Amino acid sequence: MKKKIGIGQSHSKIILMGEHSVVYGYSAIALPLKSIEVFCFIEESKSVLNRDPQDPVSVAIFASLDYLGEEAYISYRIASGVPERRGMGSSAAVAIAAIRATFDYFGQALSLSLLEKLANQAEEVAHCNPSGLDVKTCLSDVAIHFVKGEGFKPLLFDLDAYLIIADTGLHGHTKEAVEKVKALGDSAVPHLKSLGDLSQQAEEALLTNNLSDLGGLMTQAHKELKQLGVSSVEADELVAHALSVGALGSKMTGGGLGGCLIALTTTEIQAQMIAEKLEEKGAINTWIERL
Ligand code: PMV
């Protein structure tokens, strides 16, 4: 039974450790950002919605319509608090919200596994060769350890720690960055392996509440990502600034070539101070998450 309006929601995500190496089968850790959300609204329309195979939202909606065997006499609207192309999972979150809204509009139940499958079809368009990490984290309420093709496990911790997320103001270029790493061939392997090792050590540090180790591992991961050529001058400057004003560790996050960085600290007051310093230094927006 069709509804007057179909509504779908998703939250965003941030990668703590393991971007890029996750594409090659190494483990990664990512966190849901439950307060940064996107909504999609679907309504009846007299005209048929345009099918655009290059647009992830269109791919998400048509994958749902094709699955349901429904026609596209619909229009959609997105309301998003997730900045686009900043490594915060905007494309995955929008796809999830759009699929949920389409199923909701047609009054159809949607299993988690089908939602994940359809959202990853949209991610094929937004990324090249997506690991599946973004969709999985946007569908999770807790932090996850993720290995491509193998699955995920929830990571449960409650630390006296805060993560500052800072936006360089530049669009990230995930697809280009993934292609850049691929083009490096064998010379990328030691860095990818090291990123995988750092991610595993970070999990240990998280689960044993060892924040100074965790910070150090994040900063080392940034150096590896920089050597892979996927960071940016702006992110490097803000990472260095976060460390100089007392962060325990800092790194770029997500695909890179722009986008966001993260920094670790122990108290909310300290997090606010670091966020302010990063904004003074050029970050266009900051968010604070308790770990
Ligand atoms: O830029 P984001 O947030 O979509 O993250 C991309 C993460 C990569 O590891 C670079 C790619 C992937 O598919 O996991």
Side-chain angles (χ1 to χ4, degrees), residues 13 15 19-20 22-23 87-89 127 129-131 134 174 178 254-255:
K13 67 96 216 293
I15 299 175
E19 50 275 274
H20 288 288
V22 69
V23 175
M88 288 171 76
H127 285 199
N129 186 22
S131 64
D134 283 14
T174 301
V178 171

Side-chain angles (χ1 to χ4, degrees), residues 15-29 146 181 184 187-203 216-231 250-255:
I15 299 175
L16 184 67
M17 294 290 273
E19 50 275 274
H20 288 288
S21 45
V22 69
V23 175
Y24 296 86
Y26 296 100
S27 66
I29 302 169
F146 178 88
V181 173
L184 290 174
S187 64
V189 173
H191 301 297
L192 296 169
K193 187 175 176 320
S194 173
L195 284 165
D197 290 346
L198 291 166
S199 174
Q200 280 193 335
Q201 290 173 50
E203 183 172 334
L217 295 163
M218 288 167 60
T219 306
Q220 281 186 56
H222 182 75
K223 288 183 187 147
E224 296 290 346
L225 290 161
K226 193 174 163 183
Q227 286 177 40
L228 280 174
V230 295
S231 188
S250 182
K251 64 183 275 289
M252 58 158 273
T253 180

Side-chain angles (χ1 to χ4, degrees), residues 6-146:
I7 302 176
Q9 173 276 354
S10 174
H11 56 248
S12 59
K13 67 96 216 293
I14 203 85
I15 299 175
L16 184 67
M17 294 290 273
E19 50 275 274
H20 288 288
S21 45
V22 69
V23 175
Y24 296 86
Y26 296 100
S27 66
I29 302 169
L31 317 169
L33 298 176
K34 286 191 279 183
S35 57
I36 307 180
E37 293 176 290
V38 50
F39 291 87
C40 178
F41 305 93
I42 290 200
E43 284 177 286
E44 189 174 6
S45 167
K46 291 207 165 28
S47 53
V48 177
L49 186 69
N50 181 36
R51 187 189 283 259
D52 178 356
Q54 303 305 322
D55 172 19
V57 186
S58 171
V59 172
I61 291 175
F62 277 94
S64 309
L65 292 172
D66 293 346
Y67 180 87
L68 294 171
E70 295 285 356
E71 289 184 330
Y73 284 96
I74 53 171
S75 65
Y76 73 87
R77 187 165 57 82
I78 303 285
S80 180
V82 189
E84 278 181 40
R85 299 179 61 191
R86 297 298 208 282
M88 288 171 76
S90 166
S91 60
V94 171
I96 290 167
I99 295 162
R100 281 181 165 152
T102 310
F103 276 73
D104 186 48
Y105 176 73
F106 289 104
Q108 295 292 330
L110 171 63
S111 71
L112 198 57
S113 60
L114 177 62
L115 172 58
E116 185 172 355
K117 187 171 154 217
L118 298 177
N120 272 315
Q121 285 177 24
E123 282 287 87
E124 293 281 345
V125 177
H127 285 199
C128 81
N129 186 22
S131 64
L133 174 62
D134 283 14
V135 169
K136 192 60 107 180
T137 318
C138 288
L139 290 175
S140 174
D141 280 341
V142 294
I144 61 166
H145 161 113
F146 178 88

